[in-house]
Amino acid sequence: MDVKPKVNGDLKDDEDNRRPAAIDGPTNPMVTPLLTDLYQFTMAYAYWKAGKHNERAVFDLYFRRNPFGGEYTVFAGLEECIRFIANFKFSKEEIAFVRESLSPTCEDGFFDYLEGIDCSDVEVYAITEGSVVFPKVPLMRVEGPVAVVQLLETPYVNLINYASLVTTNAARHRFVAGKSKVLLEFGLRRAQGPDGGIGASKYCYMGGFDATSNCAAGRLFGIPLRGTHSHAFVSSFMGTDEIIQKSLRSHDGSSVCQDFVSVVHTWLSKLKRLSILKGVFGETNQSELAAFISYALAFPDNFLALVDTYDVMRSGIPNFCAVALALNDMGYKARGIRLDSGDLAYLSCETRKFFQTVEKEFGVPDFGKTGITASNDLNEETLDALNKQGHEVDAFGIGTNLVTCYAQAALGCVFKLVEINNQPRIKLSEDVSKVSIPCKKRSFRLYGKEGYPLLDIMSGENERPPKVGERILCRHPFNESKRAYVVPQRVEELMKEELPTLKQNRERCISQLEQMRPDHMRRLNPTPYKYME
Amino acid sequence: MDVKPKVNGDLKDDEDNRRPAAIDGPTNPMVTPLLTDLYQFTMAYAYWKAGKHNERAVFDLYFRRNPFGGEYTVFAGLEECIRFIANFKFSKEEIAFVRESLSPTCEDGFFDYLEGIDCSDVEVYAITEGSVVFPKVPLMRVEGPVAVVQLLETPYVNLINYASLVTTNAARHRFVAGKSKVLLEFGLRRAQGPDGGIGASKYCYMGGFDATSNCAAGRLFGIPLRGTHSHAFVSSFMGTDEIIQKSLRSHDGSSVCQDFVSVVHTWLSKLKRLSILKGVFGETNQSELAAFISYALAFPDNFLALVDTYDVMRSGIPNFCAVALALNDMGYKARGIRLDSGDLAYLSCETRKFFQTVEKEFGVPDFGKTGITASNDLNEETLDALNKQGHEVDAFGIGTNLVTCYAQAALGCVFKLVEINNQPRIKLSEDVSKVSIPCKKRSFRLYGKEGYPLLDIMSGENERPPKVGERILCRHPFNESKRAYVVPQRVEELMKEELPTLKQNRERCISQLEQMRPDHMRRLNPTPYKYME
């Protein structure tokens, strides 16, 4: 079936320019036309009964407040929305279920109508995915027959809300961690359900993370995967006696070490005898040592060890170094260690010193730079605290706080009717921040001399758009006292005709975030970005 | 394929006793053996390479702290775990992806091994789904070949964490709302992704909610559906002139009213002229009136109107009453109204008075009891505040705070190795609360004279279980000073041989919560329940 909505742009195949014949369905096969609130069907029936179902309606999708106490949001989830409407069609079984769920007095004609609908008459205008966006400015404008567009409300808001929230959260973590750090998303096990996990992996990557532990997401989206071993792996070993197969071929294939275990033990003795390390450690844990050796024998060119199952400085680090030095003898370079508990600032600095000592004492080039990964309930605050204390961590693995958006678990996107049959519509409210802005709008981002975006401005569809170098009076839609003259140096229309790949969206997200005026981006008490009309 | 793990019990078909030939796969088809962390595969390879992959391991799944500042948790997600392992099998494509993701040096034999594995050799012991549970006491014990059980860790923790968290959240909302209120889950649009929404609907129902707005969940799980119309529906109408089809057949089919719109207008005039309502309202909003009439014509026996698009007391309620009274003339009983903004305590009380006035003035029996539903960002605190202020709400629609578990967005379930090859294993930690309890355990709930559960006790697999009427010394596993003698009046073993339906789990959940000693259940500062060994 080639149902093609009038989307501006089309999905491009990853990496090359082959265009798919039709747009694939949503990543999660559970995203069907039934994934909506019952009231969308009761309304569809009432529209149909009143003969209004084909009236042309315009809905704006937007949010009212930036999340996490910040002054920006990253827009994400659009591709899934497009995949959804490109394949929107009710099956007979779904229609039978809708019939059961509505009143027995509903007329048959309605179900025939439902069977016939698709989204070929729906137009979607949207800000490009991965863009930095602000409250009240529409992220998407959806136009089409009122009954059909109404059915899209719930899945659209669902697909945008969490996607944008978690992308923003990832961007905020990246901002605090700094550009030079490797950020790994480790959240699958704590995510809100299976595709809370899969969505998190996709959107954290978009928001600037480098890799994920989630294999399903790696496969679906081509995200780099990372992961080595857990505490259970360490404690499943008893001691080095149980290692049967002890041989290791050298990296260049030229020789085979028949007893790698002995070489490790020798290195451990050498480390212990080093006068500079005297008293730092005594007997290390043998179950841990056996686990590290086994892991190194399995992955000699990718040896990364979790060092905190027993005692980081007295067991984990010496055991790691012994194995890493034995690997070094065979031409392999160990990847590094992971810390998953304790005082990460202190332990990472102590570990770095230990590595530097090994480099110096045994003349192993770059051993001092061996990678240090940290995990254990990290979030923006703990990253910020680590920065302030000073640390030697190269890579952060972040899970729970990132994927569940623990600091604020929901974004409040809404989907509001702004026009029907060319008549503007408004929802009033006693709370002025909840009043919707009527009419079909265009929106523009105005840039100043320094290249920073100055403000976003909305105008009626037929108003003259802002022009570079022209003075424009910008008014706040609900606050007459807020007004300003602006002379933009660059004007960018926000709803564009493109639908790029995840990697392109990721690059846009990262570059747009870098382009923002720094005071809008501060973690605490940032300056609000302006929107006007 | 009939892969059957050694599960104690089996899935029963809903409602009747037909037993399915095989267990269906997980609700979400994205729950595949690839939905796991990469390190489960790197470990599996390292186990395989060391010849340890078939060693018999025992893992406990448990959590360390109750969520939401409470002293209890409801266990949920088990059925999905069982469906997962019952169908656990890698496809050739999945194995090819694992091969790509691991090191090119990994040996072929491992991928042949992966292709052959299923969970027929895995045994799962679990507390019954829907049970009230406490920290540290294992919710599940999973035994099997270490490499296979390790692969289950991530999906198991993912499937249990959110399920148990949101079920507990639902139970807490039910506790505050009270038994007599109708609780509706309206969270799909704000959920963390599509199956954050579907899972929320399933588990909120288990936790004591009565219905959901989510059609997909209604279809998948047989949960009652509820929903009527939104603000957009109201504002899509201009006025009553646009209503073309105005006739309505009476409820008993005996007569047809040709112009229902006029009847409504007449009732509105009568309401306006009532001396007792003089000055309460003047002109009502005609767009809203048209929407209400259209909705009533579509669903005359299920008329429930959202009354806050313009002004609740000056427009929404009078418009609703006029339509409800016109419906009453035709033998229909209006269902009620929904409030979605403003001071819900005040508005619900004013609305109730208005309804009672109508009942009295026009002699319409029970009109005063017309249903009042409230929504708008409700949570435990707002429900509690409403109770304290006094309100007249009959049903609550709860979304964002419920489904995203906004007050605490994650539960920290862990999956720890406690035994391998009959050897006890322990994970130490500087934080005593993170130390795991070694060995294969049994756990029992001891009940006191009043019928309340007193404490949960863990014992080694081969220790003598506690007996009714016998004095037992219970010790805290990490705190020697915490010990107590208990004489149980009833002893219940916590891991049972059954796997019941969603409705049975819901009933268990509700009855177990009612059975708890009230001070454990307090919203604020509850008394901790004890676990001992």
Side-chain angles (χ1 to χ4, degrees):
Chain A
M1 184 179 32
D2 189 352
V3 184
K4 283 193 110 179
K6 288 182 195 157
V7 173
N8 294 318
D10 203 340
L11 285 181
K12 295 188 190 90
D13 236 3
D14 210 17
E15 304 299 354
D16 63 35
N17 287 322
R18 275 177 300 133
R19 273 175 172 254
I23 298 175
D24 285 338
T27 301
N28 186 341
M30 293 171 86
V31 180
T32 68
L34 271 197
L35 188 73
T36 199
D37 291 310
L38 182 68
Y39 81 175
Q40 312 293 9
F41 290 108
T42 54
M43 285 193 276
Y45 181 73
Y47 284 133
W48 179 85
K49 187 91 167 84
K52 271 175 77 76
H53 52 294
N54 281 326
E55 288 186 4
R56 192 101 190 142
V58 182
F59 285 79
D60 280 351
L61 188 152
Y62 60 94
F63 60 94
R64 297 190 181 112
R65 263 189 303 276
N66 289 303
F68 311 117
E71 286 296 342
Y72 66 97
T73 300
V74 181
F75 173 51
L78 177 61
E79 182 192 335
E80 297 293 337
C81 290
I82 300 306
R83 287 168 173 256
F84 177 61
I85 59 168
N87 295 279
F88 188 96
K89 195 82 194 156
F90 286 97
S91 69
K92 284 208 188 305
E93 295 71 33
E94 287 169 335
I95 288 176
F97 180 76
V98 175
R99 188 192 285 267
E100 270 173 47
S101 305
L102 296 182
S103 164
T105 61
C106 289
E107 296 168 30
D108 288 343
F110 173 67
F111 301 101
D112 298 339
Y113 159 72
L114 269 194
E115 206 173 324
I117 62 175
D118 59 33
C119 289
S120 54
D121 211 18
V122 172
E123 290 176 70
V124 174
Y125 299 84
I127 294 183
T128 314
E129 194 162 359
S131 295
V132 178
V133 292
F134 304 95
K136 293 273 184 182
V137 179
L139 306 175
M140 299 172 73
R141 185 171 84 212
V142 186
E143 300 185 29
V146 65
V148 177
V149 178
Q150 195 77 76
L151 287 169
L152 303 178
E153 174 180 23
T154 314
Y156 264 40
V157 176
N158 175 286
L159 290 168
I160 298 297
N161 258 330
Y162 175 63
S164 299
L165 183 71
V166 74
T167 307
T168 308
N169 203 21
R172 295 180 63 86
H173 281 78
R174 166 58 74 194
F175 183 80
V176 181
K179 279 191 218 178
S180 66
K181 299 300 172 192
V182 172
L183 292 185
L184 313 170
E185 176 270 308
F186 283 175
L188 176 58
R189 65 188 59 194
R190 300 285 167 82
Q192 296 199 350
D195 78 3
I198 290 172
S201 302
K202 175 177 181 180
Y203 297 115
C204 288
Y205 183 63
M206 192 184 295
F209 271 57
D210 298 297
T212 179
S213 64
N214 177 346
C215 295
R219 184 176 183 217
L220 283 164
F221 308 119
I223 304 170
L225 288 172
R226 290 285 287 272
T228 52
H229 70 84
S230 70
H231 296 116
F233 180 80
V234 173
S235 54
S236 77
F237 287 81
M238 303 292 155
T240 54
D241 291 351
E242 66 181 301
I243 303 175
I244 313 290
Q245 205 289 92
K246 302 173 180 187
S247 70
L248 178 65
R249 182 177 295 275
S250 66
H251 186 245
D252 61 8
S254 65
S255 64
V256 175
C257 165
Q258 293 302 340
D259 189 353
F260 185 73
V261 179
S262 294
V263 180
V264 173
H265 278 296
T266 307
W267 271 113
L268 197 55
S269 310
K270 285 189 202 169
L271 282 166
K272 222 179 289 180
R273 283 196 304 268
L274 263 192
S275 59
I276 193 169
L277 292 179
K278 267 276 179 322
V280 171
F281 69 98
E283 283 310 305
T284 59
N285 187 291
Q286 293 301 296
S287 128
E288 181 178 68
L289 186 63
F292 288 1
I293 294 172
S294 298
Y295 196 83
L297 288 170
F299 296 100
D301 50 9
N302 202 11
F303 176 56
L304 196 153
L306 178 61
V307 293
D308 70 337
T309 307
Y310 303 104
D311 185 307
V312 174
M313 298 314 301
R314 294 215 172 95
S315 182
I317 296 297
N319 278 338
F320 166 79
C321 288
V323 177
L325 288 163
L327 282 173
N328 182 63
D329 290 347
M330 305 297 292
Y332 297 101
K333 194 169 149 30
R335 288 282 292 269
I337 58 121
R338 178 160 72 95
L339 296 166
D340 189 41
S341 59
D343 181 337
L344 300 175
Y346 171 79
L347 290 172
S348 67
C349 293
E350 289 299 302
T351 299
R352 180 68 67 214
K353 278 188 240 163
F354 201 111
F355 289 167
Q356 287 164 345
T357 302
V358 169
E359 172 170 344
K360 204 174 138 196
E361 297 291 326
F362 298 112
V364 186
D366 289 339
F367 199 93
K369 293 183 189 137
T370 299
I372 300 176
T373 300
S375 48
N376 188 28
D377 259 345
L378 297 173
N379 61 21
E380 282 189 61
E381 282 68 36
T382 50
L383 292 178
D384 190 54
L386 283 172
N387 289 342
K388 284 176 182 148
Q389 289 168 72
H391 67 84
E392 287 289 339
V393 177
D394 305 297
F396 292 103
I398 313 184
T400 312
N401 292 289
L402 178 68
V403 305
T404 66
C405 300
Y406 202 89
Q408 180 183 325
L411 181 67
C413 275
V414 295
F415 192 77
K416 292 290 170 193
L417 180 69
V418 292
E419 210 177 286
I420 191 162
N421 284 340
N422 302 313
Q423 299 290 315
R425 307 311 290 163
I426 188 166
K427 185 205 167 279
L428 298 173
S429 173
E430 287 175 33
D431 177 359
V432 77
S433 75
K434 282 194 160 187
V435 174
S436 61
I437 304 172
C439 293
K440 210 187 266 195
K441 297 173 262 306
R442 296 172 71 181
S443 45
F444 302 90
R445 184 158 295 174
L446 309 187
Y447 290 81
K449 276 180 214 155
E450 296 81 7
Y452 293 129
L454 294 175
L455 55 77
D456 286 4
I457 183 167
M458 288 179 270
S459 66
E461 207 199 10
N462 303 317
E463 282 177 61
R464 195 165 158 268
K467 284 245 169 343
V468 169
E470 275 186 18
R471 201 169 85 136
I472 306 153
L473 174 62
C474 302
R475 289 165 298 133
H476 190 283
F478 305 122
N479 188 338
E480 264 302 307
S481 68
K482 287 194 189 170
R483 41 170 72 203
Y485 281 100
V486 172
V487 182
Q489 301 302 306
R490 184 155 79 84
V491 174
E492 180 189 25
E493 176 141 22
L494 287 174
M495 308 259 195
K496 281 190 200 145
E497 301 193 12
E498 50 183 20
L499 200 54
T501 64
L502 174 59
K503 278 186 187 151
Q504 290 168 324
N505 289 337
R506 179 173 190 266
E507 283 154 21
R508 171 175 313 97
C509 171
I510 293 170
S511 83
Q512 285 209 0
L513 290 164
E514 284 173 0
Q515 215 180 120
M516 293 295 294
R517 215 173 64 200
D519 59 316
H520 294 312
M521 308 300 286
R522 264 198 307 262
R523 195 171 73 81
L524 295 176
N525 304 316
T527 312
Y529 183 82
K530 294 182 186 66
Y531 72 97
M532 296 280 184
E533 66 165 17
Chain B
M1 183 178 31
D2 191 354
V3 185
K4 284 195 112 179
K6 288 181 196 157
V7 172
N8 293 319
D10 202 339
L11 285 180
K12 294 187 191 90
D13 234 1
D14 210 17
E15 304 297 355
D16 63 37
N17 287 324
R18 274 177 302 133
R19 275 179 171 248
I23 298 175
D24 285 338
T27 301
N28 186 341
M30 294 171 86
V31 181
T32 67
L34 270 197
L35 188 75
T36 198
D37 292 311
L38 181 67
Y39 80 175
Q40 313 294 8
F41 290 108
T42 53
M43 285 193 277
Y45 180 72
Y47 284 132
W48 178 85
K49 186 90 167 81
K52 272 175 77 79
H53 52 293
N54 281 326
E55 288 186 3
R56 192 100 189 144
V58 182
F59 285 80
D60 279 351
L61 189 152
Y62 59 95
F63 60 96
R64 297 189 181 111
R65 263 189 303 276
N66 289 303
F68 310 119
E71 287 295 341
Y72 66 96
T73 300
V74 181
F75 173 51
L78 177 62
E79 182 192 337
E80 296 292 336
C81 290
I82 300 306
R83 287 167 173 257
F84 178 61
I85 58 167
N87 295 277
F88 188 97
K89 195 82 194 154
F90 286 97
S91 70
K92 285 206 186 304
E93 295 70 33
E94 287 169 335
I95 287 175
F97 180 76
V98 175
R99 188 191 285 265
E100 269 173 50
S101 306
L102 296 183
S103 165
T105 61
C106 290
E107 295 168 32
D108 289 345
F110 173 67
F111 301 101
D112 298 339
Y113 159 71
L114 269 192
E115 206 173 324
I117 60 175
D118 59 33
C119 289
S120 55
D121 211 18
V122 172
E123 291 176 69
V124 174
Y125 299 83
I127 294 184
T128 315
E129 195 162 359
S131 294
V132 177
V133 292
F134 304 95
K136 295 272 185 180
V137 179
L139 306 174
M140 298 172 72
R141 184 172 85 210
V142 186
E143 299 185 28
V146 64
V148 177
V149 178
Q150 195 77 75
L151 287 169
L152 303 178
E153 173 180 22
T154 314
Y156 265 38
V157 176
N158 175 286
L159 290 168
I160 297 297
N161 257 331
Y162 176 62
S164 299
L165 183 71
V166 74
T167 307
T168 308
N169 203 21
R172 293 180 63 86
H173 281 78
R174 165 58 75 194
F175 183 80
V176 180
K179 280 191 218 178
S180 66
K181 300 300 171 189
V182 172
L183 292 185
L184 312 169
E185 177 270 310
F186 282 175
L188 177 56
R189 65 187 61 195
R190 300 286 168 82
Q192 296 199 351
D195 78 3
I198 290 172
S201 303
K202 175 177 180 179
Y203 297 114
C204 289
Y205 183 63
M206 192 185 294
F209 271 57
D210 298 297
T212 178
S213 65
N214 178 347
C215 294
R219 186 177 181 215
L220 283 165
F221 309 118
I223 304 170
L225 288 171
R226 290 284 288 272
T228 53
H229 70 83
S230 70
H231 296 116
F233 181 80
V234 173
S235 53
S236 78
F237 288 82
M238 304 291 155
T240 54
D241 291 351
E242 65 181 303
I243 302 173
I244 314 290
Q245 205 288 92
K246 304 175 179 185
S247 69
L248 179 65
R249 183 175 295 274
S250 65
H251 186 245
D252 61 8
S254 66
S255 64
V256 173
C257 165
Q258 293 302 340
D259 189 353
F260 184 72
V261 179
S262 294
V263 180
V264 172
H265 278 296
T266 307
W267 271 113
L268 196 56
S269 310
K270 284 189 200 166
L271 283 165
K272 219 179 292 180
R273 281 197 304 268
L274 264 192
S275 59
I276 193 170
L277 293 178
K278 266 278 179 319
V280 170
F281 70 97
E283 282 311 306
T284 61
N285 185 291
Q286 293 301 295
S287 130
E288 181 179 67
L289 186 63
F292 289 1
I293 294 171
S294 297
Y295 196 84
L297 289 169
F299 297 99
D301 49 10
N302 201 11
F303 177 56
L304 194 153
L306 177 62
V307 293
D308 69 338
T309 307
Y310 302 105
D311 186 306
V312 174
M313 297 315 299
R314 294 216 172 92
S315 183
I317 296 298
N319 278 338
F320 166 80
C321 288
V323 177
L325 288 162
L327 282 174
N328 182 62
D329 290 347
M330 305 298 291
Y332 296 100
K333 193 165 149 31
R335 289 282 291 269
I337 58 123
R338 178 161 72 96
L339 297 166
D340 189 41
S341 59
D343 180 338
L344 300 174
Y346 171 80
L347 290 171
S348 66
C349 292
E350 288 300 301
T351 299
R352 181 68 68 215
K353 279 189 236 162
F354 201 111
F355 289 167
Q356 286 165 343
T357 302
V358 168
E359 171 169 347
K360 200 172 140 200
E361 295 293 325
F362 299 113
V364 185
D366 289 337
F367 198 92
K369 293 182 191 138
T370 299
I372 300 177
T373 300
S375 47
N376 189 28
D377 260 344
L378 297 173
N379 60 22
E380 282 189 59
E381 282 68 37
T382 51
L383 292 178
D384 189 55
L386 283 171
N387 288 343
K388 284 174 181 150
Q389 289 167 72
H391 67 84
E392 287 288 341
V393 177
D394 306 295
F396 293 103
I398 312 185
T400 312
N401 292 289
L402 178 68
V403 305
T404 66
C405 300
Y406 203 87
Q408 180 182 326
L411 181 67
C413 276
V414 294
F415 192 76
K416 293 288 171 193
L417 180 69
V418 292
E419 209 176 285
I420 190 161
N421 284 340
N422 301 313
Q423 298 291 313
R425 306 312 289 162
I426 187 165
K427 187 206 166 282
L428 298 173
S429 173
E430 288 175 32
D431 177 359
V432 76
S433 73
K434 282 193 161 187
V435 174
S436 63
I437 304 172
C439 294
K440 211 187 264 195
K441 298 172 259 306
R442 295 172 72 181
S443 44
F444 302 90
R445 184 158 296 173
L446 309 185
Y447 291 80
K449 275 182 214 155
E450 296 82 6
Y452 294 129
L454 293 176
L455 56 77
D456 287 4
I457 184 167
M458 288 179 271
S459 67
E461 209 198 9
N462 302 318
E463 284 178 60
R464 194 164 159 270
K467 285 244 167 345
V468 170
E470 276 185 18
R471 201 169 85 135
I472 306 154
L473 173 63
C474 303
R475 289 167 298 132
H476 189 283
F478 305 122
N479 190 338
E480 265 302 307
S481 68
K482 287 194 189 170
R483 42 170 70 205
Y485 281 100
V486 172
V487 182
Q489 302 302 307
R490 183 154 80 83
V491 174
E492 180 187 26
E493 175 142 21
L494 287 174
M495 307 261 194
K496 281 188 199 147
E497 302 192 13
E498 50 181 19
L499 200 56
T501 65
L502 175 59
K503 278 185 188 153
Q504 290 168 324
N505 289 337
R506 179 173 191 265
E507 283 154 21
R508 169 174 316 98
C509 172
I510 293 170
S511 83
Q512 286 210 359
L513 289 164
E514 284 172 1
Q515 214 180 120
M516 293 294 296
R517 213 173 66 200
D519 59 317
H520 295 311
M521 309 300 287
R522 267 199 306 263
R523 194 171 73 81
L524 296 175
N525 305 318
T527 311
Y529 184 81
K530 292 183 188 66
Y531 72 97
M532 296 279 184
E533 63 166 15

